[in-house]
Amino acid sequence: MIKKYTMGSPIETEAVTAVIEPGDFSDFPFEHDAKNGKFSFGFSMSEDDIIYGLGEANRGINKRGWVYESYCSDDPFHTETKSSLYAAHNFLLVGSGKPFGIFIDFPARIRWDIGYTKSDRLEITLDGADFDIYLVYGGSPREIAREFRSIIGKSYIPPFWAFGYQQSRWSYHNAEAVDRVIEGYNSAGIPLDCVYLDIDYMERYKDFTVDSEAFPDFESYVAEKRAQGIHLIPIIDAGIKKEEGYSVYEEGRDRGYFCKRADGSDFEGGVWPGVCGFPDFLRPEVRRWFGEKYRALTDIGIDGFWNDMNEPAIFYSVEGIENALEKAASLKGENLDLGGFFSLKDTFTGLSNSQSDYSSIYHTVNGEQVNHQRVHNIYGSSMTRAAGEYFAESFGEEKILMFSRASYIGAHRTSGIWFGDNHSWWSHILLNLKMLPGANMCGFLYCGADLGGFNENATRDLVLRFLALGVFTPLMRNHSALGTRDQECFRFEKPEDFRDIIEVRYRLIPYLYETFRKASEENEMIFRPLSFDYPDDPVARECETQLMLGEECMIAPVYEQNAGGRTVYLPEDMTFVRLSGTRETVEKLGKGLHYVSVALSEVPLFIKKGKRIPLCMPAMRTGDLRADKAEWLGE
Ligand code: MIG
């Protein structure tokens, strides 16, 4: 059952597609308070309440014991003490005797104090008092998650080939670099479906352009790669380079499509290309205009994109950097003491993604000027919506791969997400795993992390273990940052170990794809915490390192260096399968704790009693998979 409570006049986010009449606010069942323009409410948690949700968010599956903020942030250090990442997925699920869900449809900042200030209190504070709150109750956590999904609309389904293995790096600078990657995979016999183009494919970081020195005759090149079964996936950034003669910029400026300053002039901020205008994606006509721009690339055969920097990330504003430079100039020749030096330093480090810059930006919502802070969390999702809606209209469903960095619930109907700039850290294997059920609850099914880790240098064993989890995530993409050690599978010793892992993915694709489709159609989660399926099992309830997958499986990746395996908890008897290339070893294990050894070239998988999954033969490209010729694993 669902109840809706409305206060003030909320900004329409279109997160919810179902029409639900608001109830009487005097029935709002929580203690609440409105003061200083904020609204807060809260309740006591019982000792055994598990708090799930918040989608792509930091820390555990159980979110108790920390304070989170819904505020889309470009933060490349996903350390334990962070409160915000790139997404604002405002859905919480309280699992207890009487489970219920809360969705706060409100696009400004929200603070979720989940037993941080007081261990048994959950306190939610909204930076504003115009909102819709939905309460979902009745049934198990799984039923509540399903019911919530039923009001936000069906999840995006990508093209089938988007389940193939994908290789990315910032950046493959030109056609030769891309060719070397494809060649490396081909000669190692490792399957591959996509290669990514990061910002350097563009002409000086201008969206919808291609650097003709790096890719002379891009159109023929794209066709040549498609003939080899490879999709090239270019990046699109939110900021539009300010440059005379660049048609996207000139159109945006002349039509008044960019975000404004308080005085009505265009807001200008620096990102990769230097000074940029930021399209006001909240306006339907701007979305339409921007969506159509992708045509420049789809017309020449591109059929997949990733949208980046759309929190939006802003390195500096024009005013901000002028002030900073003036301050620096005024200090020339001064003897800078501790305070003086650090204040100067902070002036520059504080330029990026600054709160005062965000507060100086204005959007037009239904003809009215609205400050950016009130709608911050739907900026990126509106960019991705612009693209996704255009694709669905022009090409039909399941044709174009689209995923975004920033997101808000609602964007799940037209795109996927990736989890942003993680690190080549062992702890980030588990962080990846823990985000999956949350993202699924909020409708984001097509998702995944940068396998191998984005920032810093990866080691061979880390990449293998990361990939062995990535075998199960719908988006299976290895991506790494500029200046880090090469991370493509064929660059490491014994590439056959990598082939063994990635072949397992291809063997599982028909099964994973069916599970995905079903989850989208039936509003199910692909990945569930064990506690959803075994609510009365105390060990399963606390498990943060394993997940249920579909109706048949449980996954438990190895996540520590120099470990030849891991301890795994079986909430019931299961078949333990070690998959490696086309080989598999099968072992029956009883309910309880087990230590299982898993080689670096193996993918561990657990199949529930009475369940079977199909495995096909691997192929170098998804297009060559034969789903009809499957063998069955399990009992
Ligand atoms: O400020 O385009 O998360 O995947 O490689 C960095 C360069 C900008 C951030 C993305 C990352 C991408 C990188 N981008």
Side-chain angles (χ1 to χ4, degrees):
M1 273 166 299
I2 304 211
K3 274 199 182 143
K4 175 179 177 182
Y5 299 94
T6 299
M7 189 179 259
S9 26
I11 286 171
E12 181 53 71
T13 68
E14 293 178 50
V16 172
T17 49
V19 180
I20 299 167
E21 287 307 314
D24 189 342
F25 204 87
S26 59
D27 292 339
F28 188 64
F30 305 111
E31 289 165 48
H32 55 278
D33 196 15
K35 57 169 180 274
N36 309 326
K38 297 192 183 198
F39 178 83
S40 59
F41 69 102
F43 51 91
S44 299
M45 298 180 283
S46 72
E47 209 160 311
D48 59 352
D49 278 348
I50 302 179
I51 313 296
Y52 308 98
L54 299 185
E56 177 202 292
N58 207 5
R59 295 174 75 109
I61 294 174
N62 186 349
K63 303 233 106 52
R64 269 186 97 138
W66 192 241
V67 58
Y68 300 86
E69 284 202 324
S70 291
Y71 193 82
C72 299
S73 303
D74 167 25
D75 186 336
F77 291 93
H78 307 172
T79 45
E80 229 174 79
T81 45
K82 291 297 166 68
S83 291
S84 305
L85 296 175
Y86 311 86
H89 297 162
N90 302 336
F91 178 67
L92 261 197
L93 204 163
V94 179
S96 66
K98 271 203 170 159
F100 62 95
I102 303 172
F103 172 52
I104 306 182
D105 193 7
F106 175 72
R109 189 189 297 267
I110 305 177
R111 186 172 190 274
W112 313 76
D113 181 337
I114 310 178
Y116 172 76
T117 303
K118 281 188 82 200
S119 56
D120 66 344
R121 279 294 288 184
L122 203 157
E123 281 292 334
I124 301 171
T125 308
L126 286 66
D127 265 13
D130 299 277
F131 56 80
D132 292 313
I133 292 182
Y134 297 79
L135 288 187
V136 192
Y137 58 97
S140 65
R142 187 168 175 179
E143 285 162 336
I144 287 166
R146 196 190 300 136
E147 178 139 25
F148 172 58
R149 294 265 302 283
S150 78
I151 67 165
I152 57 171
K154 294 256 179 296
S155 298
Y156 164 78
I157 304 179
F160 181 76
W161 52 261
F163 287 79
Y165 175 69
Q166 316 188 5
Q167 183 62 55
S168 184
R169 182 171 176 82
W170 173 19
S171 274
Y172 300 128
H173 279 88
N174 52 32
E176 290 73 54
V178 172
D179 286 340
R180 271 200 301 279
V181 172
I182 299 170
E183 185 36 43
Y185 275 94
N186 284 346
S187 50
I190 304 175
L192 176 75
D193 270 77
C194 302
V195 178
Y196 278 70
L197 300 179
D198 207 320
I199 43 176
D200 299 286
Y201 80 88
M202 297 181 211
E203 191 197 306
R204 280 166 299 134
Y205 309 125
K206 289 185 286 185
D207 278 348
F208 314 113
T209 68
V210 176
D211 182 337
S212 59
E213 256 172 57
F215 294 93
D217 196 357
F218 190 60
E219 183 167 4
S220 313
Y221 185 69
V222 173
E224 184 191 304
K225 296 307 113 183
R226 288 288 294 108
Q228 297 167 13
I230 299 293
H231 298 259
L232 297 178
I233 317 291
I235 196 169
I236 301 291
D237 280 6
I240 298 297
K241 181 177 169 62
K242 178 181 179 183
E243 184 181 278
E244 292 304 321
Y246 170 36
S247 66
V248 184
Y249 174 73
E250 288 186 340
E251 276 174 37
R253 179 196 57 200
D254 296 346
R255 298 184 190 182
Y257 282 176
F258 293 129
C259 294
K260 305 290 180 205
R261 300 183 179 108
D263 67 4
S265 61
D266 286 353
F267 170 82
E268 295 181 329
V271 210
W272 293 112
V275 175
C276 286
F278 291 84
D280 188 356
F281 297 114
L282 273 64
R283 294 165 59 185
E285 64 276 23
V286 176
R287 287 202 294 275
R288 179 79 210 170
W289 167 75
F290 196 80
E292 273 171 10
K293 292 293 164 216
Y294 286 77
R295 212 175 187 118
L297 292 157
T298 55
D299 274 350
I300 53 176
I302 292 293
D303 52 4
F305 299 90
W306 47 314
N307 281 351
D308 189 21
M309 306 294 271
N310 52 1
E311 292 71 29
I314 300 174
F315 295 164
Y316 61 84
S317 65
V318 168
E319 298 82 339
I321 199 142
E322 269 167 19
N323 292 339
L325 290 170
E326 265 168 34
K327 176 166 179 177
S330 75
L331 293 173
K332 205 164 170 200
E334 296 279 313
N335 177 0
L336 290 183
D337 61 5
L338 179 95
F341 170 71
F342 281 103
S343 138
L344 177 64
K345 189 170 173 233
D346 293 347
T347 302
F348 283 89
T349 50
L351 283 175
S352 296
N353 303 328
S354 104
Q355 286 303 310
S356 65
D357 284 344
Y358 286 137
S359 300
S360 75
I361 300 174
Y362 288 83
H363 299 265
T364 308
V365 179
N366 297 327
E368 270 177 52
Q369 293 296 95
V370 169
N371 186 266
H372 176 76
Q373 295 286 16
R374 293 186 57 202
V375 291
H376 175 78
N377 288 338
I378 50 172
Y379 185 76
S381 67
S382 302
M383 174 199 184
T384 298
R385 223 182 119 182
E389 287 176 356
Y390 179 72
F391 296 149
E393 244 175 68
S394 321
F395 302 93
E397 309 275 311
E398 298 170 45
K399 289 285 185 284
I400 308 283
L401 170 60
M402 173 80 251
F403 60 92
S404 179
R405 196 170 72 177
S407 63
Y408 185 86
I409 291 174
H412 70 284
R413 296 192 293 268
T414 49
S415 77
I417 48 174
W418 96 98
F419 298 153
D421 299 347
N422 63 359
H423 272 72
S424 294
W425 291 337
W426 287 86
S427 61
H428 278 184
I429 296 179
L430 279 188
L431 184 61
N432 180 1
L433 177 136
K434 291 172 189 183
M435 283 186 194
L436 293 167
N440 280 189
M441 268 177 230
C442 297
F444 291 95
L445 298 182
Y446 191 77
C447 53
D450 289 349
L451 302 172
F454 177 73
N455 292 298
E456 309 274 6
N457 295 330
T459 57
R460 176 181 185 274
D461 51 355
L462 175 75
V463 179
L464 281 162
R465 293 301 198 197
F466 232 129
L467 288 171
L469 168 61
V471 157
F472 300 105
T473 60
L475 168 63
M476 186 190 189
R477 183 179 79 141
N478 175 339
H479 180 47
S480 59
L482 193 69
T484 59
R485 180 184 189 180
D486 287 337
Q487 203 169 288
E488 296 83 12
C489 298
F490 62 87
R491 310 256 189 206
F492 293 102
E493 302 154 65
K494 296 221 291 167
E496 58 273 22
D497 286 351
F498 292 83
R499 183 179 62 219
D500 283 343
I501 300 283
I502 292 169
E503 280 188 352
V504 171
R505 164 67 167 212
Y506 280 68
R507 298 194 73 193
L508 284 165
I509 284 176
Y511 167 67
L512 295 172
Y513 181 71
E514 274 318 301
T515 306
F516 188 102
R517 285 199 73 89
K518 223 174 138 230
S520 169
E521 272 151 29
E522 296 171 8
N523 296 319
E524 276 293 350
M525 293 159 68
I526 299 171
F527 298 103
R528 294 180 307 281
L530 268 57
S531 50
F532 271 42
D533 291 35
Y534 307 94
D536 302 323
D537 179 329
V539 184
R541 279 172 63 81
E542 289 183 3
C543 183
E544 293 265 351
T545 64
Q546 308 170 199
L547 292 174
M548 303 311 295
L549 162 63
E551 299 305 326
E552 296 80 13
C553 303
M554 183 179 80
I555 60 170
V558 178
Y559 54 88
E560 261 161 336
Q561 188 162 30
N562 302 316
R566 59 165 286 168
T567 302
V568 59
Y569 177 69
L570 270 55
E572 60 174 302
D573 298 352
M574 290 185 183
T575 306
F576 170 43
V577 192
R578 294 185 183 88
L579 294 154
S580 184
T582 53
R583 301 172 303 279
E584 67 250 3
T585 61
V586 174
E587 197 180 324
K588 291 240 173 335
L589 293 178
K591 175 179 156 84
L593 278 173
H594 299 268
Y595 181 85
V596 295
S597 60
V598 181
L600 283 173
S601 60
E602 289 176 337
V603 178
L605 179 64
F606 299 83
I607 304 176
K608 287 167 69 175
K609 217 174 165 172
K611 301 286 186 189
R612 301 191 316 156
I613 64 163
L615 274 183
C616 65
M617 286 307 283
M620 287 297 285
R621 307 282 181 260
T622 47
D624 296 323
L625 289 172
R626 292 290 309 271
D628 53 332
K629 294 226 169 104
E631 74 177 79
W632 290 83
L633 212 57
E635 49 180 46

